[in-house]
Amino acid sequence: MKSIHETGCGEALLHLLETQHIDFIFCSPLSVWAPLWEALARKQAAGSTTPPTYINCRHEVLAAGLAAGCYKTTGRMQTILLPTALGVLNAAMAIRGAYQERVPMVVMAPDSFTFGEMPGRDPGMEWPPLLGDLGGPARIAEGYVKWAKEVKTALELPAAFRRACYIAESVPRGPVLLSIPFEILIDSIPFQHQQRIVPYPLVAADEALKAVAQLIVSASEPIIITDHAGRSGQNIRTLTSLAELIGAPVFEFWMPTCTNIASNHPLHGEGMVEEMLETADCILAIASDAPWHPADRKLKRNCSVIVIEEDPMRPRASHWGYKTDYCIAGDVGANLAGLVRHVKSSFRKKPDAVAARDKRLKRWQTHNERRRKEFILQANETMAGSSDIHAVQLFQTLDALLPKDAIIVDEIIAQLNLMMKVLFQRNSYQHYRGLIAGGLGMGISTALGVKLADPQRTVVCIIGDGSFSYNPIPACFGIAQQYRLPLLVIICNNQGYASQSWNTFKYFPDGWSVKTNTFLGSTIEPTPEYSALASGFAGYGERVDHPDDLESALRRGLDAVQSGRLAVIDVLLKP
């Protein structure tokens, strides 16, 4: 039995963070966090270097992106501190992205319930006129977090924090928010150490996995569709094993959030999955928010659709119009492992199915290899003789220069398909998308979180010039400098928001926009010298606009990163 002793709430909160195995505190500062800062200073003065490590953030979106990047790399949840409801609002899009991507994090935001009227508990004169919102941070955040609560008393703080951590890490995972009034932070409580509540993964019933396995083995044309099944190395291996076991291709949604299967694997599905829907008789939608488009697309008669997800049919979203016959809910990795076990057992009882699987496996391997070669041939023909840098050239050159263990974090739209097909064909780099989920502005902060969690590896953020404009650049570059996080930022600069012209071409091909080359909403003029921003943070910056200069520019950027500096290479390219 641990002893009970009187402890300041700042000190108690630090002990709670340690108990929950939190690696980092990402704080967008506000002075009412002084009780926690004092506890951290005391710990530092005592010579302790044990986690959590405090990281001072210069923007709320940066704090959320760092937490997401760390989680994507390590699988360990982090915590962020935001300045009251205003900070929660500023980070809202990033937190919503974590919510939709099922990324757990504990968001803590201070508040006040006396606004200086309690002696010895005054948060500051700025609170009455500026910082108080009706309902506080918890109410503000309700629409885009998994759970939100205001701590009502100092005695409640330990239980509320442990509860928040458990809820965030439990399936379905997601961000939670805890609002802690300053009057509680400055108080003291009788405190007792308690161990972490382990959020053991929830798995589907064995009979459900067995029934689905039998259905898969009986299918003649199964396919797999995913966009975020590979959230850990083990999940990638399990998904790959399942694909090989059943002889099914793995198609990724056009905007996958992570590596799911090696892009050069023979069963990595090439082409659009919509081309395969009318022949597939069993579709496994595994961790896929939108398996195909549109949702009401015609499927083969009697095709069975199996949805495997933490929370099938997307209760966090406004739409799920996809045919769904079976749902397997719970931890995706654990359920995939169980499914593999039952599929193996079912195949042992059906030798004919094994023979059919082997033929299917060879057919898909041939199909995917042929499609890959056709794509590269077409891409090389497109850029032949061009005086402009083509995206294919950029990704081919980058692939030739990067170390094989490099990590790619991207926030691009127009060149995404080219990147996925070209950059990953020789080397299966670890890959994550920025915390996007419909919004832009988290790519660089997510990449910095990845670098913080895995400092020995080269981390490259590939970002569009439009996306770059949404990122909090001074805050991101500042933290890279302050905490020595050398990052290679490559800007795919097509001088505009190319994706914003897609519907103009689609619905008005002969309209005035096309006739006059007037694409409102898609141009960025004049083109800024983005690379010049690096020098303000002791980084290296260079713009490159000719194919002959590309390789040397990328080499100089990588050399700068190896020397411990931020590098920004602004590549003017087409498309």
Side-chain angles (χ1 to χ4, degrees):
M1 187 75 173
K2 297 283 187 178
S3 62
I4 300 174
H5 55 282
E6 193 74 12
T7 304
C9 283
E11 194 81 32
L13 188 55
L14 178 57
H15 289 315
L16 289 164
L17 289 162
E18 292 170 341
T19 303
Q20 292 296 324
H21 303 163
I22 300 295
D23 299 312
F24 298 101
I25 301 169
F26 298 111
C27 179
S28 180
L30 189 68
S31 63
V32 291
W33 287 115
L36 177 59
W37 292 341
E38 179 65 17
L40 286 162
R42 183 204 60 76
K43 178 180 176 180
Q44 183 177 343
S48 175
T49 58
T50 59
T53 299
Y54 179 86
I55 303 291
N56 210 52
C57 300
R58 307 179 193 184
H59 197 285
E60 293 86 350
V61 165
L62 172 60
L66 286 165
C70 281
Y71 175 76
K72 290 184 176 195
T73 309
T74 66
R76 295 194 297 274
M77 180 183 71
Q78 306 302 328
T79 189
I80 66 175
L81 310 184
L82 301 179
T84 191
L86 299 175
V88 173
L89 284 170
N90 213 19
M93 188 171 65
I95 298 172
R96 175 197 172 274
Y99 181 60
Q100 293 295 341
E101 287 193 24
R102 303 168 187 83
V103 172
M105 61 180 69
V106 174
V107 182
M108 292 190 284
D111 202 1
S112 177
F113 50 73
T114 64
F115 294 90
E117 296 178 2
M118 180 185 291
R121 299 288 188 271
D122 183 1
M125 67 177 68
E126 68 273 21
W127 276 83
L130 301 175
L131 300 183
D133 284 272
L134 188 63
R139 181 179 177 185
I140 293 289
E142 280 178 348
Y144 47 88
V145 296
K146 183 180 175 184
W147 177 83
K149 173 185 167 50
E150 180 182 70
V151 179
K152 299 297 185 183
T153 69
L155 289 173
E156 187 192 18
L157 177 62
F161 183 82
R162 296 177 77 239
R163 184 182 177 197
C165 291
Y166 181 80
I167 292 172
E169 292 188 281
S170 297
V171 173
R173 300 172 179 90
V176 300
L177 184 137
L178 204 60
S179 175
I180 309 174
F182 175 71
E183 293 82 354
I184 290 175
L185 283 170
I186 203 70
D187 206 347
S188 60
I189 55 172
F191 182 75
Q192 181 180 18
H193 285 278
Q194 293 177 286
Q195 67 181 13
R196 175 174 178 257
I197 306 171
V198 179
Y200 290 108
L202 302 174
V203 296
D206 210 49
E207 57 266 29
L209 293 173
K210 183 177 181 180
V212 167
Q214 291 173 347
L215 184 68
I216 294 170
V217 171
S218 299
S220 59
E221 289 294 338
I223 64 172
I224 297 170
I225 308 172
T226 186
D227 60 62
H228 58 269
R231 291 177 63 164
S232 70
Q234 182 58 53
N235 279 18
I236 295 171
R237 290 187 290 272
T238 306
L239 179 64
T240 302
S241 294
L242 177 63
E244 293 170 345
L245 188 60
I246 66 176
V250 179
F251 287 91
E252 294 179 299
F253 177 61
W254 75 286
M255 203 174 283
T257 61
C258 60
T259 302
N260 295 291
I261 184 173
S263 293
N264 56 7
H265 190 282
L267 285 176
H268 183 275
E270 299 298 327
M272 301 295 289
V273 70
E274 286 81 2
E275 301 170 12
M276 316 300 168
L277 295 180
E278 291 192 24
T279 57
D281 61 351
C282 181
I283 299 173
L284 284 79
I286 304 174
S288 180
D289 288 340
W292 57 83
H293 185 77
D296 61 354
R297 201 174 187 104
K298 182 181 178 182
L299 304 184
K300 184 176 182 179
R301 186 180 178 185
N302 297 325
C303 173
S304 296
V305 179
I306 303 162
V307 176
I308 302 175
E309 181 57 280
E310 290 188 9
D311 48 350
M313 302 178 72
R314 295 201 72 197
R316 306 181 186 203
S318 60
H319 177 70
W320 181 269
Y322 305 91
K323 182 179 188 292
T324 305
D325 299 298
Y326 301 88
C327 287
I328 301 295
D331 185 87
V332 173
N335 279 331
L336 283 179
L339 187 58
V340 166
R341 186 176 67 254
H342 283 291
V343 166
K344 287 180 178 178
S345 176
S346 295
F347 267 125
R348 283 195 288 268
K349 301 172 185 177
K350 292 189 174 184
D352 291 344
V354 173
R357 184 271 313 277
D358 292 344
K359 290 181 180 179
R360 188 166 61 241
L361 189 63
K362 292 179 181 179
R363 176 165 52 82
W364 276 115
Q365 290 174 342
T366 301
H367 166 88
N368 291 328
E369 179 62 24
R370 176 177 57 81
R371 293 293 290 265
R372 272 192 283 269
K373 288 180 178 178
E374 289 174 352
F375 178 86
I376 295 299
L377 180 63
Q378 182 181 10
N380 288 334
E381 289 175 352
T382 300
M383 67 178 184
S386 174
S387 60
D388 298 311
I389 299 174
H390 194 283
V392 170
Q393 181 193 1
L394 169 62
F395 298 131
Q396 286 177 339
T397 307
L398 194 59
D399 181 36
L401 297 178
L402 287 179
K404 291 184 178 181
D405 67 344
I407 303 175
I408 308 296
V409 179
D410 89 89
E411 193 174 27
I412 55 175
I413 306 297
Q415 300 88 13
L416 178 62
N417 186 46
L418 291 172
M419 184 192 76
M420 298 303 297
K421 290 182 179 297
V422 177
L423 179 58
F424 296 90
Q425 284 309 306
R426 289 196 319 152
N427 299 310
S428 294
Y429 304 106
Q430 192 170 349
H431 169 238
Y432 305 105
R433 294 225 80 196
L435 195 60
I436 189 165
L440 298 175
M442 282 75 73
I444 298 177
S445 55
T446 302
L448 287 166
V450 171
K451 182 65 176 179
L452 188 64
D454 202 344
Q456 301 307 315
R457 296 169 68 180
T458 299
V459 178
V460 182
C461 181
I462 301 176
I463 189 167
D465 55 323
S467 299
F468 185 86
S469 298
Y470 283 99
N471 280 254
I473 297 301
C476 289
F477 286 6
I479 206 168
Q481 179 186 24
Q482 180 179 356
Y483 291 97
R484 297 178 178 83
L485 300 173
L487 181 71
L488 176 59
V489 179
I490 297 176
I491 303 175
C492 294
N493 189 346
N494 57 13
Q495 301 94 64
Y497 299 98
S499 62
Q500 300 310 305
S501 63
W502 292 347
N503 274 353
T504 301
F505 282 110
K506 180 178 179 180
Y507 294 107
F508 304 99
D510 301 314
W512 286 105
S513 296
V514 176
K515 288 177 182 178
T516 62
N517 197 32
T518 304
F519 295 99
L520 302 175
S522 64
T523 57
I524 298 176
E525 295 178 346
T527 302
E529 288 279 354
Y530 298 115
S531 58
L533 295 168
S535 63
F537 301 89
Y540 176 78
E542 181 176 350
R543 170 181 279 189
V544 56
D545 59 5
H546 194 278
D548 294 343
D549 301 326
L550 178 62
E551 181 177 342
S552 58
L554 292 175
R555 286 187 183 278
R556 284 188 288 272
L558 283 166
D559 288 344
V561 169
Q562 292 304 312
S563 69
R565 300 166 65 198
L566 165 76
V568 178
I569 306 299
D570 181 12
V571 184
L572 272 66
L573 51 71
K574 293 181 180 179

